[in-house]
Amino acid sequence: MDIVVLKKGATAKELRHIVKKLESKGFKANVSKGIERTVIGVIGDTSHITEDESNAFATMAGVDNVHRITKPYKLASRDFTPKNTTIRIGKNTIGGKKIHVMAGPCAVESLSILMEISKEVKKAGATFIRGGAFKPRTSPYSFQGLEEEGLKHLAAARKATGLPFVTELMDPRDMEVILKYTDVIQIGARNMQNFRLLKEVGSYNKPVLLKRGLSATIKDFLMAAEYIMAQGNSKVILCERGIRTFETATRNTLDLSAVPVLKKLSHLPVIVDPSHGVGKWDLVAPMAKAAIAAGADGLMIEVHTKPEEAYSDGEQSLKPAKFKTLMRELKAVAKAVGRTM
Ligand code: PEP
Ligand code: MN
């Protein structure tokens, strides 16, 4: 029994009694009060609850029914929170009708380059800046990021454009400095199952953009979101960014079916990163459009003024003019599926 649904007219006293009972058994009760009725999510290892115990709960005053859900995630589950979650970041709301586009370079390389790119993406209609200051590189000899200096540049770009920014955290030891500057904390694909890191970002109130791991199933992905939410932070944005398959024609295989699947299983906002998904700039636009058509709440797109000189991921970065054209085309796709941009 993982979810307790209360009767429509259940009293506060009955609710308290049920919560107490759950707590006495070592569980945490997460009470969600809807307009129609109250639902209690039972947090903890419920696998050892017997059928009899579960039935006994169902007979308690105020209880309508109890559900045993087979899904191991609860807080991230739509069974528990049927309504879409929206996350407010500055003036932006993610997960609502409006599609948000997070755009910028793969890595923050210098203040002047970042400024130039940020102004271009803002002009084209992006609502967030993206850029890595701590870079997860396959080779230890590749550019690793400007770290705090990069964060300062991002803060300067935010000031100049008015756009909030998203940047990656790779290590709990950098949490303090990330918190000082950042609007949205990105957990990269390679760290999707870095559980200490997930717990760390879960214990703050900052929005988290969680990228799907390279070989993570949808269940693994939602369990990672659950790790963050179980610590108390419910501001989680899911990001499909491609998975490893046998295919080599693209950098990864962008799993766009993940969008409607995640939307069905979870109430969390879902965005798509076609840049890392395909790895080639000329494939970004078609997949970006397809992502919106599939129901994504937003996109993350790499843009660089001089992709040929980029420190990382130049081959998948759009030049500002191409990005601007794409943004115009995306508007039409968004409109066709009842969204705005
Ligand atoms: C990124 O967005 O900068 C990045 C490294 O992406 P991913 O973790 O999806 O590879
Ligand atoms: Mn990149």
Side-chain angles (χ1 to χ4, degrees), residues 1-5 7 18 21-22 25 46 48-68:
M1 154 207 92
D2 299 331
I3 291 175
V4 180
V5 181
K7 286 192 175 122
I18 298 161
K21 180 100 179 171
L22 285 168
K25 288 184 176 286
T46 53
H48 58 271
I49 297 181
T50 64
E51 195 74 13
D52 286 343
E53 278 179 304
S54 175
N55 290 342
F57 251 97
T59 62
M60 284 181 79
V63 174
D64 188 10
N65 55 65
V66 298
H67 288 284
R68 265 215 124 116

Side-chain angles (χ1 to χ4, degrees), residues 325-337:
T325 305
L326 171 61
M327 289 296 280
R328 206 175 45 234
E329 292 170 351
L330 284 173
K331 251 188 202 142
V333 180
K335 193 165 170 228
V337 292

Side-chain angles (χ1 to χ4, degrees), residues 105-107 130 135 211 251 273 275-276 302 312-313 316-317:
C106 178
R130 67 139 286 144
K135 292 303 302 175
K211 288 193 142 194
R251 180 176 177 179
D273 170 356
S275 306
H276 291 89
E302 286 184 340
S312 57
D313 288 351
Q316 67 192 36
S317 299

Side-chain angles (χ1 to χ4, degrees), residues 19-94:
V19 168
K20 260 215 184 109
K21 180 100 179 171
L22 285 168
E23 286 172 350
S24 74
K25 288 184 176 286
F27 299 114
K28 231 177 94 191
N30 197 308
V31 178
S32 170
K33 284 190 177 145
I35 297 168
E36 289 268 299
R37 57 175 80 214
T38 297
V39 173
I40 306 172
V42 185
I43 313 297
D45 181 11
T46 53
S47 57
H48 58 271
I49 297 181
T50 64
E51 195 74 13
D52 286 343
E53 278 179 304
S54 175
N55 290 342
F57 251 97
T59 62
M60 284 181 79
V63 174
D64 188 10
N65 55 65
V66 298
H67 288 284
R68 265 215 124 116
I69 52 171
T70 47
K71 295 185 198 86
Y73 46 86
K74 297 185 191 77
L75 298 174
S77 163
R78 205 180 267 285
D79 293 342
F80 182 48
T81 306
K83 217 172 125 251
N84 282 342
T85 281
T86 56
I87 301 171
R88 183 118 182 129
I89 303 154
K91 286 183 280 179
N92 299 332
T93 302
I94 300 206

